[in-house]
Amino acid sequence: MITVSDTRSPETDVSGPAAVAALRAIGYEEFETRLVRDEIPEIQEAIRELCQSCAAVFTTGGTGFSPRDVTPEATAPLVDRRADNLCELMRLRGLEHTPFSHLSRGIAGIRGSVLVVNLPGSPKGARQGIEAIGHLIGPILEAQNSQDRY
């Protein structure tokens, strides 16, 4: 879990813990966390680092329309295959809670065999994003690690 923020500290981060709690609720138990500034090199370094040891990497924050919101731009060149359907599902499900869900520009994709997903930066948005795609995470990870190639 990578929290992207210029203003949060590990003590004040609420979005990362909200996403982790949502993942715990659907059965995931082991997590590594990072907190980085809204800087493309820092975001990319954290994604690359976690992709070495994790099956999935989630980011929170930096997906809006502010000039400092660069998480999608940092993520895009790192994924080998885009999975735009996941973020579209998060945005569509988000409409059930807020008319502003499409203000998130987050992307998702596969880097090697690792799932990478940008979540919104609000705790509620991060939690709801996990809830929207949670049922798909297991099958995606299984497919990435399957030896059966058709």
Side-chain angles (χ1 to χ4, degrees):
M1 185 65 57
I2 302 168
T3 298
V4 179
S5 176
D6 285 335
T7 60
R8 301 274 184 221
S9 69
E11 297 77 31
T12 62
D13 176 23
V14 289
S15 297
V20 166
L23 287 163
R24 283 189 197 285
I26 58 174
Y28 296 97
E29 298 180 6
E30 294 182 36
F31 302 93
E32 291 187 44
T33 60
R34 302 287 186 279
L35 177 68
V36 299
R37 293 179 306 144
D38 290 275
E39 297 288 343
I40 289 175
E42 290 184 36
I43 298 165
Q44 289 180 331
E45 180 180 340
I47 291 172
R48 283 188 193 104
E49 182 181 314
L50 290 182
C51 281
Q52 297 297 313
S53 60
C54 299
V57 174
F58 295 90
T59 67
T60 65
T63 64
F65 284 84
S66 162
R68 296 288 297 154
D69 291 332
V70 295
T71 302
E73 289 75 19
T75 304
L78 298 182
V79 296
D80 303 317
R81 294 179 291 147
R82 293 279 296 255
D84 297 329
N85 52 317
L86 296 177
C87 289
E88 189 54 30
L89 178 58
M90 289 190 297
R91 287 185 277 269
L92 287 172
R93 290 278 176 86
L95 282 175
E96 298 169 5
H97 306 281
T98 177
F100 301 112
S101 69
H102 280 79
L103 290 178
S104 175
R105 300 179 309 108
I107 68 164
I110 302 295
R111 177 178 171 84
S113 63
V114 178
L115 174 64
V116 180
V117 179
N118 298 154
L119 298 168
S122 74
K124 185 184 285 187
R127 179 181 50 79
Q128 290 170 350
I130 295 295
E131 291 170 353
I133 65 168
H135 66 288
L136 301 173
I137 296 171
I140 291 169
L141 297 180
E142 288 173 22
Q144 288 306 304
N145 294 309
S146 173
Q147 295 301 315
D148 298 328
R149 301 287 184 220
Y150 300 101

